[in-house]
Amino acid sequence: MAQRYYTVSWDQLHRDSKALAWRLVEKGPWRGIVAITRGGLIPAAIIARELDCRMIESVSVITYDEEKLGKPEVAKPPTAAGDGEGWLVLDDLVDTGSTAKVVRAMLPKAHMATVYAKPAGKPLVDTFVMEVSQDTWILFPWDTEQQFVPPIARSAQPK
Ligand SMILES: O=P(O)(O)OC[C@H]1O[C@H](OP(=O)(O)OP(=O)(O)O)[C@H](O)[C@@H]1O
Ligand SMILES: O=c1[nH]c(=O)c2nc[nH]c2[nH]1
Ligand SMILES: [Mg+2]
């Protein structure tokens, strides 16, 4: 279980994905984008818009059941990206690097980029925007919703 949580809003995700697009535009041109579903789909849509790229491919890797790490399972391999040369692979984050390792093996020449990265997975990606500590669980806006929280005075421990 994570020690702490880092909540990402839709606005922040949009801003951070655009920051990644700024870095990637300099490294192109790109033949197309491979989104690692499902988490990579939303950054991929934002970045495809910024890079003016309409060639979108996907690879589906299932590695987690909620916060529980499992063995990565390829539910859908990429079909149009060959060995990955000239292609950009996008995911929301790299954590242990298990997912990235599996995708790299399928697309060895691709450029791998994520919006967020944790230290263990960082060496597996070529470009990322923001690092968070290994014991932090990132809460993405599609996994969360706003809800009531009681006033601090009511939840604080009595002295
Ligand atoms: O570096 P790792 O330890 O492999 O973790 C990162 C991966 O885990 C999450 O995907 P998940 O397996 O939860 O599937 P999802 O994208 O469909 O939610 C996330 O979207 C990354 O793809
Ligand atoms: O929503 C998520 N947040 C994370 O920090 C994470 N790490 C692996 N998979 C993850 N999914
Ligand atoms: Mg994922």
Side-chain angles (χ1 to χ4, degrees):
M1 199 72 177
Q3 304 261 296
R4 64 193 100 217
Y5 289 93
Y6 179 70
T7 305
V8 175
S9 67
W10 286 110
D11 273 1
Q12 186 183 344
L13 184 87
H14 193 187
R15 218 171 18 246
D16 292 341
S17 299
K18 281 182 79 166
L20 183 56
W22 276 105
R23 289 177 196 191
L24 294 170
V25 75
E26 292 165 0
K27 297 178 178 172
W30 305 103
R31 282 189 185 166
I33 289 173
V34 180
I36 304 180
T37 73
R38 297 161 303 177
L41 286 167
I42 289 167
I46 294 166
I47 290 162
R49 190 265 178 188
E50 299 306 329
L51 301 185
D52 213 4
C53 174
R54 287 166 195 273
M55 183 63 75
I56 315 291
E57 162 66 297
S58 69
V59 52
S60 176
V61 184
I62 306 162
T63 309
Y64 287 80
D65 180 12
E66 294 192 0
E67 291 188 32
K68 197 166 160 279
L69 175 66
K71 194 170 162 289
E73 183 200 322
V74 179
K76 182 208 165 281
T79 51
D83 62 4
E85 185 154 19
W87 286 74
L88 185 58
V89 177
L90 292 175
D91 208 350
D92 49 357
L93 85 149
V94 64
D95 185 326
T96 62
S98 311
T99 306
K101 218 174 276 174
V102 168
V103 175
R104 271 210 180 278
M106 292 187 279
L107 300 167
K109 295 197 175 161
H111 184 101
M112 180 103 44
T114 60
V115 186
Y116 306 103
K118 300 187 193 179
K122 214 169 60 162
L124 282 140
V125 297
D126 301 299
T127 309
F128 67 91
V129 171
M130 185 193 281
E131 182 168 347
V132 301
S133 68
Q134 199 64 43
D135 60 359
T136 297
W137 189 262
I138 301 172
L139 288 172
F140 287 104
W142 51 84
D143 282 334
T144 55
E145 58 184 33
Q146 291 193 333
Q147 59 171 295
F148 173 81
V149 283
I152 293 168
R154 267 186 243 164
S155 55
Q157 299 287 341
K159 289 213 172 101

